[in-house]
């Protein structure tokens, strides 16, 4: 892979502003109806830039659909789930933490499918010349993180593994664009973030990984549907079909990392080198898995952690927000993620 360097933080901000896979932000939701006026079923799918639509199209999985899809684009998982709760969309893909915050707010959502990926892209980054060497060295330091993001839990879990609590560090709650500026200008000592931001910073030469999410976070991602859509027999059938297409598309990504990286780069504005690095580090490593007891227990741990810290308003049973009808014969949620070997480390 060619080396990739950018001389200014501003150069990094433009493409990265398009990507916020786990943090809060504004949304642009399109409204759809149950049919297209010709009797065809319409499935309303929430998406993110370079997400499901681009993936399915690249893999050839949008051919010969027995229903029509209307796409609504969101900046991140939380507003997408707000739209699911409001019945503005029927289903969408999110990371492991947005469903916890949505369920904590008693939103009407149902988790219907899962994937497991390598957690190397979930990282705590420090400047390349930082004196910090382990997570324990973060004590008393300023750490940027997006509130309610997967990185937020990863920070908490990484600190706990090092014998520290969240209040042992100076948490600076920043969305990715602002966090990047603070990181590159030295206003924070570390940044807890996820791919493709991790790959972007590493390839820019501006930072290195202090610790990553391997062994501390579950690496799960989810498809989340509106209960009203699942209660509709025909729409539920379409939801199941879409889930199967996404599973096949993920297989295609693993087998064609370069082809997908080109599409992803074009869709998001990321440099190709960064997109390919993120594919091999995390995006392409996803494997479809069952929504089983282990997955539910792992999400329950996240929910209990955030509730204990007062970051969500109540405790709840994550199992109450799960529908396992689409599990079929998928492997357990603890199945190892796919790997590209040394290129993914």
């Amino acid at each position: 892979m060619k080396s990739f360097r950018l001389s200014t933080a501003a150069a990094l901000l433009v493409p990265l502003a398009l990507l916020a896979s786990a943090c809060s932000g504004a949304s642009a939701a399109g409204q759809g109806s149950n049919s297209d006026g010709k009797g065809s079923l319409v499935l309303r799918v929430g998406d993110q830039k370079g997400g499901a639509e681009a993936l399915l199209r690249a893999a050839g999985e949008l051919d010969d659909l027995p229903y029509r899809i209307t796409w609504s684009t969101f900046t991140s998982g939380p507003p997408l789930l707000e739209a699911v709760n409001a019945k503005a969309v029927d289903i969408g893909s999110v990371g492991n933490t947005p469903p916890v915050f949505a369920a904590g707010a008693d939103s009407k959502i149902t988790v219907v499918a899962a994937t497991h990926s390598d957690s190397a892209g979930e990282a705590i980054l420090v400047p390349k010349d930082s004196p910090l060497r382990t997570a324990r060295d973060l004590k008393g330091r300023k750490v940027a993180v997006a509130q309610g993001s997967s990185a937020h839990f990863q920070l908490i879990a990484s600190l706990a593994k090092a014998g520290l609590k969240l209040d042992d560090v100076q948490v600076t709650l920043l969305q990715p664009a602002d966090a990047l500026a603070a990181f590159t200008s030295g206003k924070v000592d570390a940044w807890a973030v996820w791919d493709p931001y991790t790959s972007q910073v590493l390839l820019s030469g501006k930072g290195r990984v202090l610790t990553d999410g391997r062994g501390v976070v579950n690496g799960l991602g989810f498809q989340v549907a509106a209960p009203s859509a699942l209660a509709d027999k025909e729409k539920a059938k379409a939801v199941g079909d879409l889930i199967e297409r996404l599973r096949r598309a993920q297989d295609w990504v693993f087998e064609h990392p370069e082809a997908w990286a080109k599409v992803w780069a074009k869709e998001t504005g990321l440099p190709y080198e960064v997109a390919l690095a993120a594919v091999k580090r995390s995006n392409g490593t996803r494997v479809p898995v069952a929504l089983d007891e282990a997955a539910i227990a792992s999400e329950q741990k996240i929910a209990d952690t955030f509730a204990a810290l007062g970051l969500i308003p109540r405790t709840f049973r994550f199992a109450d927000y799960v529908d396992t009808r689409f599990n079929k014969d998928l492997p357990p949620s603890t199945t190892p993620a796919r790997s590209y070997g040394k290129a993914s480390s």
Side-chain angles (χ1 to χ4, degrees), residues 5 47 55 68 138 153 162 177 193 215 219 258 262 268 296-297 300 313 323 345:
R5 291 182 178 274
D47 199 14
L55 173 61
R68 187 167 65 86
L138 291 170
F153 181 74
V193 72
E258 292 85 3
K262 289 179 181 177
T268 61
I296 293 170
Q300 188 67 55
D323 186 329
S345 62

Side-chain angles (χ1 to χ4, degrees), residues 137-205:
D137 295 333
L138 291 170
K139 186 172 184 178
R141 302 284 187 160
K142 292 183 179 179
V143 184
V145 67
Q147 182 166 1
S149 66
S150 57
H152 202 165
F153 181 74
Q154 192 248 331
L155 172 62
I156 295 168
S158 294
L159 290 173
K161 186 176 180 180
L164 300 176
K165 297 180 180 179
L166 193 60
D167 58 10
D168 285 324
V169 301
Q170 300 179 53
V171 176
T172 302
L173 298 175
L174 295 172
Q175 296 302 320
D178 293 331
L180 175 63
F183 180 80
T184 55
S185 65
K187 292 181 179 178
V188 296
D189 300 297
W191 181 18
V193 72
W194 57 91
D195 251 339
Y197 300 98
T198 298
S199 294
Q200 183 99 9
V201 169
L202 294 180
L203 287 183
S204 75

Side-chain angles (χ1 to χ4, degrees), residues 56 67 103 132 162 175 177 260 290:
L56 291 168
Y67 48 87
L132 307 185
Q175 296 302 320
W260 170 237

Side-chain angles (χ1 to χ4, degrees), residues 83-317:
V84 171
N85 177 59
K87 301 180 184 179
V89 299
D90 299 313
I91 188 172
S93 303
V94 298
N96 66 353
T97 305
V100 167
F101 275 75
D106 202 21
S107 295
K108 294 178 176 62
I109 64 162
T110 303
V111 178
V112 293
T115 59
H116 182 218
S117 63
D118 194 322
S119 297
E122 294 274 351
I124 298 177
L125 305 174
V126 294
K128 196 169 184 179
D129 59 354
S130 171
L132 307 185
R133 295 296 166 186
T134 69
R136 187 158 185 80
D137 295 333
L138 291 170
K139 186 172 184 178
R141 302 284 187 160
K142 292 183 179 179
V143 184
V145 67
Q147 182 166 1
S149 66
S150 57
H152 202 165
F153 181 74
Q154 192 248 331
L155 172 62
I156 295 168
S158 294
L159 290 173
K161 186 176 180 180
L164 300 176
K165 297 180 180 179
L166 193 60
D167 58 10
D168 285 324
V169 301
Q170 300 179 53
V171 176
T172 302
L173 298 175
L174 295 172
Q175 296 302 320
D178 293 331
L180 175 63
F183 180 80
T184 55
S185 65
K187 292 181 179 178
V188 296
D189 300 297
W191 181 18
V193 72
W194 57 91
D195 251 339
Y197 300 98
T198 298
S199 294
Q200 183 99 9
V201 169
L202 294 180
L203 287 183
S204 75
K206 295 182 179 298
R208 58 179 171 81
V209 174
L210 182 72
T211 186
D212 64 34
R214 288 172 168 171
V216 294
V217 298
N218 61 24
L220 297 176
F222 299 107
Q223 289 290 323
V224 182
S228 57
L230 297 175
D232 182 308
K233 183 178 179 181
E234 291 304 313
K235 189 159 281 192
K237 183 178 179 181
V239 165
D241 179 78
L242 179 68
I243 289 171
E244 287 300 314
R245 290 172 186 269
L246 286 166
R247 288 168 178 165
R248 292 195 297 267
Q250 192 60 49
D251 292 339
W252 178 86
V253 166
F254 180 70
E255 295 165 0
H256 303 86
E258 292 85 3
W260 170 237
K262 289 179 181 177
V263 173
W264 198 21
K266 183 177 179 180
E267 289 285 328
T268 61
L270 283 168
Y272 170 74
E273 294 91 339
V274 172
L276 183 60
V279 168
K280 292 190 173 183
R281 181 174 285 108
S282 56
N283 182 276
T285 69
R286 295 171 185 155
V287 57
V289 294
L291 274 171
D292 54 18
E293 290 184 3
I296 293 170
S298 182
E299 288 295 297
Q300 188 67 55
K301 179 180 177 181
I302 296 175
D304 293 344
T305 298
F306 280 117
L309 292 170
L311 295 173
I312 57 175
R314 69 187 184 102
T315 58
F316 63 92
R317 291 182 70 251

